[in-house]
């Protein structure tokens, strides 16, 4: 089953849902992120439905796109949220997420963050070290609470993805080695303010085949069997996120249904609630990044197309060499030409596409970078004094600003110049 396209061409003009891209760019300016509410709902529904009547929590990994309107869309549909900071937790709570569907991941939870999560009564902390366990126990004691925990087990599986987003290998900073699970859980059992409720694992992101998931799940399955034998109550099995999306013709990721089927095949037999933490697969394809062509600059060696969006707005190509598809609007007749699509930021890595074949393009034309709904705006910055761009959500022919463009003054908001008395 494939998702309905959010970006289509009608008589040569690009439309996002039922709105011409040119109108979105004119009304809201560029650079701009645009999200399809319909596509977000479709993705959430498919992941939720795939679990059938098995007890489950689809805890949206809010880091992929933390816009309140996006998170709210998922929460309304019944999703929980996977958070990694106090900031993410507050966002989840602000849009009315059910704390019993919130899980807290991450290697570096601070005491104040733990306190807030305890007082909000989240479902579980995914603990990544024994020192963290001990701090959670102390904080729970101080607040008169019992902290529900799982350990993030590192199964030492290669997710076959970019090294920056691989987390399930032995050498990674994440989780505890799966062979220490017994020791860690017995340590947890000995602590008065800790209650063991589950196991957790997350091996990486943008995973485009089922085999790494299967390998990890098989190891998790043996761990659950052993831990249960040792008397630990494993009520929740959290399999993390990581399902990839089709950024280019070369990626061929499993569907949500295939992914969930694999999960059910390996760990579906346990009497436990299955938790997953999808981020990218719920949001990437529901969003685009829109930027306007400024100049063509043709040198002896290269053909540069300079656009008004930069690596500060969309970092993925610069950071991971990510290849993201680009559409040009309007359509002009003629032959394709190759371009280095670059932004205005003063770094050579500020490049969205290298030597990419694109249809004829002229200054002021629009470029839509596909699959930008995940790790797009969320990773943006105001580097080079460039205000954070606007985010718009579309449903049918209705477009609403869900984050207005930052003003230039706001980029220095909070800064001050001390009086040095000189
Ligand atoms: N759970 C945990 C504990 C995670 O660390 C992550 C992602 C997820 C769930 C969600 O994974 P997803 O379903 O989105 O693959 N900025 C990078 C991706 C970083 C992923 C970090 N952790 C990128 O743009 O490719």
């Amino acid at each position: 089953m494939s998702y309905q396209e959010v970006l289509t061409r009608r008589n040569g003009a690009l439309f996002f849902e039922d709105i011409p891209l040119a109108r979105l760019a004119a009304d809201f300016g560029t650079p701009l992120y645009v999200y399809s509410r319909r596509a977000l709902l479709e993705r959430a529904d498919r992941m939720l439905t795939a679990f059938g009547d098995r007890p489950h929590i689809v805890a949206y990994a809010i880091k992929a796109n933390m816009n309140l309107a996006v998170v709210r869309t998922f929460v309304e549909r019944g999703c929980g949220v996977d958070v990694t900071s106090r900031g993410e937790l507050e966002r989840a709570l602000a849009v009315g997420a059910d704390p019993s569907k919130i899980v807290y991941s991450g290697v570096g939870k601070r005491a104040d963050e733990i306190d807030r999560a305890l007082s909000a009564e989240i479902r579980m902390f995914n603990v990544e070290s024994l020192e963290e366990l001990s701090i959670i126990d102390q904080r729970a004691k101080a607040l008169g609470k019992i902290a529900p925990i799982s350990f993030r087990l590192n199964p030492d599986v290669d997710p076959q993805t970019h090294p920056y987003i691989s987390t399930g290998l032995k050498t990674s900073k994440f989780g505890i080695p799966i062979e220490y699970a017994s020791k860690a859980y017995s340590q947890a059992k000995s602590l008065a303010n800790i209650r063991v409720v589950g196991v957790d694992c997350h091996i990486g992101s943008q995973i485009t085949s089922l085999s790494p998931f299967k390998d990890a799940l098989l190891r998790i399955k043996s761990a659950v069997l052993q831990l249960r034998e040792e008397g630990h109550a494993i009520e929740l099995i959290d399999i993390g996120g990581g399902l990839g999306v089709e950024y280019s013709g070369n990626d061929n990721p499993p569907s949500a249904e295939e992914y969930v089927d694999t999960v059910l095949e390996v760990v579906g037999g346990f009497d436990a609630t299955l938790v997953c933490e999808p981020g990218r697969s719920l949001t990437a394809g529901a969003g685009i990044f829109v930027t306007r062509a400024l100049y063509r600059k043709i040198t002896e060696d290269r053909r540069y197309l300079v656009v008004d969006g930069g690596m500060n707005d969309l970092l993925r190509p610069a950071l991971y060499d990510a290849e993201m598809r680009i559409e040009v609007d309007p359509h002009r007749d003629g032959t394709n030409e190759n371009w280095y699509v670059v932004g205005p930021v003063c770094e050579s890595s500020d490049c969205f596409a290298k030597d990419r074949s694109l249809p004829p393009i002229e200054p002021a034309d629009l470029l839509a970078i596909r699959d930008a709904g995940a790790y797009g705006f969320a990773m943006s910055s105001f580097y080079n004094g460039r205000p954070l761009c606007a985010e718009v959500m579309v449903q049918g022919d209705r477009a609403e600003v869900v984050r207005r463009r930052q003003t230039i003054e706001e980029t220095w908001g909070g800064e001050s110049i001390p009086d040095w008395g000189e």
Side-chain angles (χ1 to χ4, degrees):
M1 210 194 320
S2 65
Y3 293 103
Q4 270 194 311
E5 286 282 347
V6 291
L7 199 61
T8 52
R9 214 172 269 282
R10 304 184 193 171
N11 297 325
L14 277 181
F15 275 67
F16 190 88
E17 291 211 17
D18 296 327
I19 308 183
L21 195 70
R23 199 166 87 215
L24 290 168
D27 288 355
F28 304 108
T30 54
L32 179 72
Y33 278 95
V34 189
Y35 311 126
S36 156
R37 188 170 140 81
R38 197 190 67 201
L40 294 169
L41 291 172
E42 186 189 6
R43 281 162 176 75
D45 287 347
R46 277 182 54 181
M47 189 64 91
L48 287 159
T49 312
F51 282 95
D53 52 13
R54 283 300 324 243
H56 64 275
I57 300 172
V58 174
Y60 166 56
I62 188 173
K63 62 171 73 70
N65 185 326
M66 61 185 153
N67 185 283
L68 294 180
V70 171
V71 189
R72 175 73 194 165
T73 304
F74 292 142
V75 163
E76 261 172 32
R77 244 6 189 224
C79 291
V81 186
D82 164 51
V83 303
T84 20
S85 70
R86 167 101 191 253
E88 288 187 351
L89 174 60
E90 296 297 353
R91 277 176 184 266
L93 296 171
V95 300
D98 175 354
S100 75
K101 293 184 189 170
I102 297 181
V103 296
Y104 197 144
S105 304
V107 282
K109 307 176 189 76
R110 275 197 325 250
D112 61 301
E113 297 182 302
I114 293 166
D115 284 1
R116 178 65 178 122
L118 283 167
S119 71
E121 304 199 330
I122 64 161
R123 185 61 173 268
M124 128 176 124
F125 291 88
N126 291 333
V127 176
E128 303 226 10
S129 66
L130 290 178
E131 291 199 355
E132 180 194 335
L133 179 74
S134 145
I135 297 295
I136 294 178
D137 179 54
Q138 286 169 29
R139 297 314 309 159
K141 188 168 181 198
L143 299 181
K145 302 261 182 198
I146 303 289
I149 68 109
S150 74
F151 280 103
R152 175 169 174 177
L153 301 178
N154 184 328
D156 194 22
V157 161
D158 183 355
Q160 295 151 25
T161 182
H162 192 284
Y164 290 4
I165 52 177
S166 295
T167 55
L169 279 169
K170 223 175 190 161
T171 46
S172 116
K173 71 174 177 180
F174 297 99
I176 60 161
I178 199 158
E179 56 272 25
Y180 294 127
S182 269
K183 264 194 194 151
Y185 277 86
S186 78
Q187 168 83 13
K189 206 172 197 175
S190 72
L191 298 175
N193 291 78
I194 294 288
R195 186 166 74 88
V196 166
V197 295
V199 294
D200 168 51
C201 103
H202 170 77
I203 56 170
S205 195
Q206 183 53 16
I207 299 171
T208 52
S209 86
L210 288 171
S211 60
F213 288 119
K214 208 165 180 175
D215 291 350
L217 284 162
L218 284 167
R219 290 178 198 188
I220 291 298
K221 181 181 178 179
S222 333
V224 172
L225 287 169
Q226 188 183 339
L227 292 168
R228 282 197 167 168
E229 212 157 90
E230 290 165 6
H232 301 289
I234 307 296
E235 306 152 19
L236 295 153
I237 301 176
D238 185 339
I239 55 168
L243 180 60
V245 301
E246 188 174 357
Y247 282 113
S248 73
N250 306 330
D251 311 311
N252 186 17
S255 66
E257 291 79 8
E258 289 167 329
Y259 166 73
V260 173
D261 280 353
T262 300
V263 173
L264 293 178
E265 198 184 299
V266 187
V267 291
F270 286 117
D271 176 21
T273 297
L274 298 173
V275 183
C276 63
E277 304 169 354
R280 190 189 315 267
S281 54
L282 296 190
T283 56
I288 57 167
F289 175 67
V290 188
T291 179
R292 204 180 275 285
L294 294 175
Y295 308 111
R296 287 167 296 187
K297 181 169 149 174
I298 300 173
T299 66
E300 237 173 70
D301 304 307
R302 285 192 176 174
R303 301 163 50 82
Y304 289 108
L305 178 71
V306 186
V307 299
D308 70 354
M311 65 189 284
N312 68 299
D313 305 304
L314 176 62
L315 186 60
R316 301 197 69 259
L319 189 59
Y320 314 110
D321 261 329
E323 267 189 46
M324 300 171 75
R325 286 172 293 177
I326 299 178
E327 309 291 340
V328 174
D329 187 55
H331 167 80
R332 298 176 190 283
D333 288 329
T335 47
N336 276 24
E337 283 174 317
N338 283 24
W339 294 99
Y340 279 75
V341 180
V342 299
V345 172
C346 302
E347 303 234 6
S348 296
S349 58
D350 184 24
C351 182
F352 290 126
K354 292 178 183 149
D355 214 18
R356 177 87 57 95
S357 166
L358 292 176
I361 187 158
E362 291 181 13
D365 286 356
L366 293 171
L367 290 87
I369 303 189
R370 285 185 179 267
D371 306 301
Y375 307 109
F377 184 88
M379 294 176 77
S380 64
S381 74
F382 62 93
Y383 186 40
N384 273 205
R386 295 166 48 78
L388 296 177
C389 57
E391 296 174 283
V392 166
M393 190 176 285
V394 166
Q395 177 162 268
D397 58 6
R398 181 173 161 203
E400 295 285 345
V401 174
V402 292
R403 182 181 175 112
R404 66 167 172 76
R405 190 174 303 281
Q406 196 179 31
T407 65
I408 288 189
E409 291 73 18
E410 281 168 343
T411 67
W412 62 71
E415 295 177 26
S416 52
I417 305 173
D419 178 359
W420 302 109
E422 285 159 2

